[in-house]
Amino acid sequence: MESMNNRLRNSDKLTMDVIAHNLQVSKTTVSRAISGKGRVGAETRDRVLKYIESMGYKPNSMARALAGAKTYNIGVVLPDTDERGGAPFFKDCLVGVTEAAARRDYDTVLAVISYGNLSRLERLVNGRRVDGIVLTRCDEKGKMVSLLRSQEMPFVVIGRDSSKSVYQIDSDQKDGCAELTAKMLRESPNGVALLAGSKEMDIERLRYEGYEQAFSQAGRKLDKSLVFWNSEEKLEADLDAVLASGARGIVCSDDLICLKVMESLKQRGVSVPEQMAVASFFDSEDLEMNEIPITALHVDTKVLSQKAGDLLIDILDGKNPEVRNYAKCSVLYRSSFRDSAG
């Protein structure tokens, strides 16, 4: 305490660091006590304000001085999963960012965005209720990026963004998808079909690039008649075409499509993996726990999201991290693949 008081006298400036250190509370607590915003107990708020007064400062003057200071809140933007699916992925994103924030004395504020409605994000940004934003895999990412840039709000994207100036973190999925497809090509010489989601989504195009890369590296011609976009909307027709082609391998761009493929193959009496090898470019607990466990490209979403949280806080702390960042992924071979040993 004595050394901190000496430092205060020498600098003649009361800061949140000084207050937090002397009262043994976090800077977040100090900020909320002074501003009157956020959750903080009445007893703690009184203790902070009385300390400020005891040091010769007026709490209202301190509040004005700190009006442009950090809130120590991070916004996490998730899509409405009832509309878009993928709830486990987004839950892991929220948990991962929250854990990273907590380690560095930040809290998280959740904004669930419905398709076509950015009002919740606008309120967070315009009200300066957060210091920065983590964007997850959202359909209207382009509009969100434009909004955040116009308001000079620091942000990080989980996933790939084509801009060279957008801070982003993604798994090395292109190479992972190429590895999985290459293995399936060796096991399924008659062809490997791809059942994918919307071509408008960056992640779907990235996974396709990995699929395409495997054919190029193997010296095989890619049969584009076996590539099916928006497959979740016409799955049965796509499967009819796959089976008619003689292909003996199906790779799905995500777990939801893959589970539907497995169910449909079962109803059709097509045995997996004896008659059809099946794999997914995205792993989930549902694939692992399926009646026939499904080979998949595994990304530790929680670790990925923790790295996103740390990346954003590094930016807020004035550091100069890399713009493009990657986390490792791996292929987990399971029973839906003939060579499940990998």
Side-chain angles (χ1 to χ4, degrees):
M1 176 75 100
E2 184 64 30
S3 62
M4 184 61 74
N5 286 336
N6 287 337
R7 188 169 70 182
L8 175 59
R9 284 195 292 270
N10 292 335
S11 67
D12 196 31
K13 182 179 181 182
L14 185 61
T15 67
M16 284 199 294
D17 285 321
V18 172
I19 300 169
H21 182 277
N22 286 352
L23 297 183
Q24 294 296 294
V25 296
S26 70
K27 288 187 292 184
T28 305
T29 298
V30 174
S31 176
R32 290 176 176 175
I34 293 171
S35 68
K37 298 178 181 178
R39 296 189 303 275
V40 61
E43 181 180 344
T44 301
R45 178 178 287 112
D46 289 343
R47 190 158 66 96
V48 171
L49 298 181
K50 286 179 180 178
Y51 176 80
I52 292 171
E53 290 179 332
S54 74
M55 302 305 293
Y57 286 78
K58 296 286 187 182
N60 60 341
S61 299
M62 194 76 180
R64 284 196 298 273
L66 295 171
K70 289 184 177 181
T71 65
Y72 290 92
N73 290 328
I74 289 175
V76 182
V77 177
L78 306 181
D80 187 334
T81 54
D82 287 339
E83 295 179 359
R84 297 299 177 200
F89 172 84
F90 296 114
K91 182 192 76 172
D92 284 347
C93 283
L94 179 59
V95 171
V97 175
T98 299
E99 288 178 352
R103 284 199 309 269
R104 299 178 67 173
D105 203 22
Y106 279 76
D107 289 325
T108 49
V109 178
L110 175 63
V112 178
I113 306 299
S114 299
Y115 186 72
N117 183 357
L118 303 186
S119 59
R120 292 175 182 172
L121 178 60
E122 290 170 345
R123 285 198 299 272
L124 272 187
V125 174
N126 295 335
R128 293 289 157 175
R129 293 159 61 185
V130 296
D131 299 325
I133 297 282
V134 175
L135 291 178
T136 61
R137 193 176 68 202
C138 301
D139 289 339
E140 296 188 274
K141 185 179 65 180
K143 293 180 181 179
M144 294 180 194
V145 167
S146 296
L147 170 64
L148 296 174
R149 280 178 160 169
S150 69
Q151 296 298 316
E152 298 183 347
M153 174 65 70
F155 67 96
V156 166
V157 171
I158 295 179
R160 184 178 68 159
D161 190 276
S162 57
S163 172
K164 295 181 180 180
S165 62
V166 170
Y167 285 99
Q168 55 197 276
I169 182 163
D170 195 11
S171 55
D172 52 351
Q173 289 199 41
K174 181 177 178 179
D175 287 345
C177 292
E179 176 189 339
L180 178 50
T181 304
K183 182 69 173 177
M184 185 167 278
L185 278 172
R186 291 193 290 271
E187 299 293 321
S188 307
N190 290 342
V192 176
L194 171 65
L195 274 60
S198 170
K199 200 173 185 178
E200 301 304 311
M201 295 184 69
D202 287 343
I203 187 62
E204 296 288 345
R205 293 197 299 272
L206 179 65
R207 290 167 180 168
Y208 172 76
E209 288 173 11
Y211 170 83
E212 186 179 43
Q213 178 178 302
F215 283 84
S216 176
Q217 291 175 340
R220 296 269 298 271
K221 183 178 179 181
L222 192 159
D223 182 354
K224 292 193 175 181
S225 70
L226 291 179
V227 177
F228 302 90
W229 295 102
N230 300 309
S231 193
E232 66 271 29
E233 300 171 5
K234 49 185 179 58
L235 184 71
E236 297 302 325
D238 289 350
L239 276 180
D240 285 341
V242 172
L243 294 173
S245 73
R248 290 296 177 261
I250 297 174
V251 62
C252 306
S253 67
D254 66 42
D255 56 331
L256 299 179
I257 293 175
C258 196
L259 289 168
K260 292 177 180 178
V261 165
M262 293 292 286
E263 180 61 28
S264 182
L265 290 175
K266 180 180 179 180
Q267 292 174 355
R268 293 164 181 257
V270 177
S271 61
V272 175
E274 291 79 9
Q275 294 176 280
M276 183 70 72
V278 178
S280 171
F281 283 156
F282 181 78
D283 194 21
S284 70
E285 185 177 350
D286 289 335
L287 298 189
E288 182 181 6
M289 302 304 294
N290 194 61
E291 180 181 356
I292 299 175
I294 302 168
T295 291
L297 184 65
H298 180 75
V299 178
D300 193 327
T301 308
K302 195 178 295 184
V303 170
L304 182 72
S305 303
Q306 288 172 345
K307 290 180 180 292
D310 282 326
L311 176 61
L312 178 59
I313 296 172
D314 283 346
I315 296 168
L316 298 177
D317 286 348
K319 298 179 182 178
N320 189 30
E322 294 290 332
V323 174
R324 293 180 179 269
N325 301 270
Y326 297 93
K328 292 182 179 180
C329 58
S330 57
V331 178
L332 299 183
Y333 292 96
R334 302 187 180 117
S335 303
S336 69
F337 203 89
R338 281 187 285 273
D339 186 3
S340 58

